[in-house]
Amino acid sequence: MQDFIPLYPLYQLLFTDHGLSAAQVSLLFVIWSATAFVLEVPSGAWADSFSRRKLLVLGSLLSALGYATWITLPTFAGFATGFVLWGTSSALISGTYEAFVYDELAARGRTERFATLLGRARSASFVTNLAATALATPLFNLGGYTLAGIVSVLANVLQAAVAWSLPEARAVETARESDDPGARAAFTNYLHMLRSGVSEVLTSRLVRRAVALVALLGGFLAFDEYFPLLAREAGATTSAVPLLIAGTVAAQAIGGALAGPVYKLPAATFAVALGATAVLIASGSLSRSQWGFLPIAVGYGLMQLVIVVSESRLQDAITGPARATVTSVSGFFAEVFAVAVYAGFALGSVWFSMAVLVAGLTIPVLLTAFVVPFALPDPRSSAAAEVSEP
């Protein structure tokens, strides 16, 4: 998971300080998400038919290369190239990470620990992100965007080394045509996993609904990309922006940590939490004040709680061998939704302020809250017991 990135709370400002408009920044986000969703499902099938650990390593190195491109070629073309690399990295890691952890637990007979472990891992991720966010201000003051970018590149290289050191108990499942030679066998296995994963989403109503919910929630993380611009609109200086963003990151860490203890609560509980998210973020945004980031942070923490619980219950619902592929299907639709959000912000920025646009995004969040009771699988449910239907 890509966590220690001091450049993260600054990169939107890097773009605008090099002459890009809000519409151009949104176009970059579209390029980013478009790259990710084009590669999302194919990369999931690759993770199911290849070493997931090696894909995590590759994803980290591609991110490092993307950040290096930003600081060495600070033009629209350079920023777009960096986003293509980052989008490819996101596709490789998305789905792969959750499937890797779940199957490693399954190999030890400990899958009931997944929600707690995923929540703690996400919290640790956000704590690391929080440290990077807090470090962004002194790094920027000391060496500008370049120093923050160099530290981000080095952090991703270190992350690749850590991923390489992880154990991998799961044996890659072979396809039916196991006697196929070399590359042909690998491609056959790839297609087998791709078909298996997509088929499970299409035929299992339980999995299908969970995938849709996780996709919607993942799309709402597009909020992240506009918080720095919202902070600047509220009067924050470039050095102060990371400190405001740090509050949202800290709240996400707390929300992720709480996911394990509340994992088995009724779905209606998480619907209420998501509804509160919409109200808190909208009110904080429309306050047009730096103090508005306090309710925004609380709302974002609640949304992270719902996301971790939803992702965990999706993993419990999956019964087939193509776990990463199924998870990547949700990632694919999350990116599709994110592209729609970015396009809406690009168009809306012509007429509306960032505060109004961020508040407007809370409307679909509120509507999704009404869907949660019907789409979130019960933790005691089993996809295996369900009668499949198209």
Side-chain angles (χ1 to χ4, degrees), residues 12-380:
Q12 298 92 336
L13 308 181
L14 167 67
F15 301 160
T16 55
D17 285 348
H18 281 82
L20 272 63
S21 66
Q24 287 177 308
V25 172
S26 289
L27 179 57
L28 288 174
F29 294 157
V30 170
I31 293 171
W32 179 24
S33 283
T35 301
F37 79 67
V38 166
L39 299 176
E40 188 75 46
V41 176
S43 67
W46 191 15
D48 283 324
S49 57
F50 187 62
S51 168
R52 291 171 182 164
R53 177 175 60 89
K54 291 179 181 178
L55 290 188
L56 294 177
V57 173
L58 178 60
S60 298
L61 293 177
L62 288 176
S63 287
L65 184 58
Y67 300 138
T69 302
W70 283 351
I71 59 177
T72 56
L73 188 61
T75 64
F76 182 87
F79 298 145
T81 300
F83 267 127
V84 169
L85 291 167
W86 193 1
T88 303
S89 167
S90 298
L92 290 175
I93 293 175
S94 172
T96 303
Y97 176 79
E98 289 86 352
F100 178 82
V101 174
Y102 196 93
D103 280 343
E104 290 302 304
L105 288 173
R108 296 161 176 79
R110 301 295 302 278
T111 56
E112 76 282 354
R113 295 276 299 161
F114 181 76
T116 298
L117 185 59
L118 180 62
R120 289 177 180 175
R122 289 285 172 84
S123 293
S125 164
F126 289 124
V127 168
T128 306
N129 194 317
L130 180 60
T133 301
L135 188 61
T137 294
L139 285 175
F140 178 80
N141 291 336
L142 184 63
Y145 295 117
T146 300
L147 182 57
I150 290 172
V151 174
S152 300
V153 170
L154 294 176
N156 273 267
V157 172
L158 178 60
Q159 176 181 289
V162 172
W164 183 261
S165 70
L166 295 174
E168 188 169 20
R170 164 186 167 271
V172 178
E173 186 161 321
T174 57
R176 295 185 184 90
E177 297 86 356
S178 57
D179 57 340
D180 285 351
R184 182 182 174 188
F187 184 65
T188 299
N189 190 35
Y190 171 85
L191 292 179
H192 170 61
M193 288 299 181
L194 182 62
R195 285 194 300 267
S196 295
V198 173
S199 175
E200 182 164 6
V201 174
L202 293 176
T203 59
S204 170
R205 181 172 53 191
L206 185 67
V207 172
R208 186 166 61 243
R209 289 178 177 178
V211 162
L213 177 61
V214 171
L216 281 173
L217 294 172
F220 294 140
L221 292 177
F223 275 122
D224 275 350
E225 313 309 327
Y226 296 98
F227 284 159
L229 299 180
L230 178 65
R232 176 170 279 184
E233 187 178 89
T237 64
T238 299
S239 297
V241 168
L243 302 179
L244 294 177
I245 303 304
T248 65
V249 177
Q252 285 181 290
I254 295 171
L258 292 174
V262 304
Y263 177 70
K264 292 187 177 181
L265 290 178
T269 305
F270 303 107
V272 172
L274 195 59
T277 291
V279 174
L280 288 165
I281 294 180
S283 61
S285 175
L286 294 175
S287 72
R288 300 176 187 273
S289 164
Q290 294 177 43
W291 286 105
F293 273 81
L294 181 58
I296 287 174
V298 175
Y300 220 49
L302 288 173
M303 187 165 74
Q304 184 61 33
L305 168 66
V306 178
I307 287 174
V308 173
V309 169
S310 300
E311 289 177 340
S312 300
R313 293 195 184 183
L314 169 59
Q315 293 299 322
D316 282 341
I318 298 170
T319 60
R323 183 173 300 279
T325 305
V326 173
T327 308
S328 290
V329 171
S330 68
F332 170 85
F333 287 106
E335 295 296 346
V336 171
F337 179 51
V339 168
V341 171
Y342 299 146
F345 269 77
L347 183 62
S349 64
V350 177
W351 298 286
F352 301 107
S353 67
M354 193 57 58
V356 171
L357 292 173
V358 170
L361 183 54
T362 64
I363 296 175
V365 175
L366 183 61
L367 294 176
T368 302
F370 292 99
V371 176
V372 170
F374 307 100
L376 186 65
D378 188 281
R380 294 173 297 278

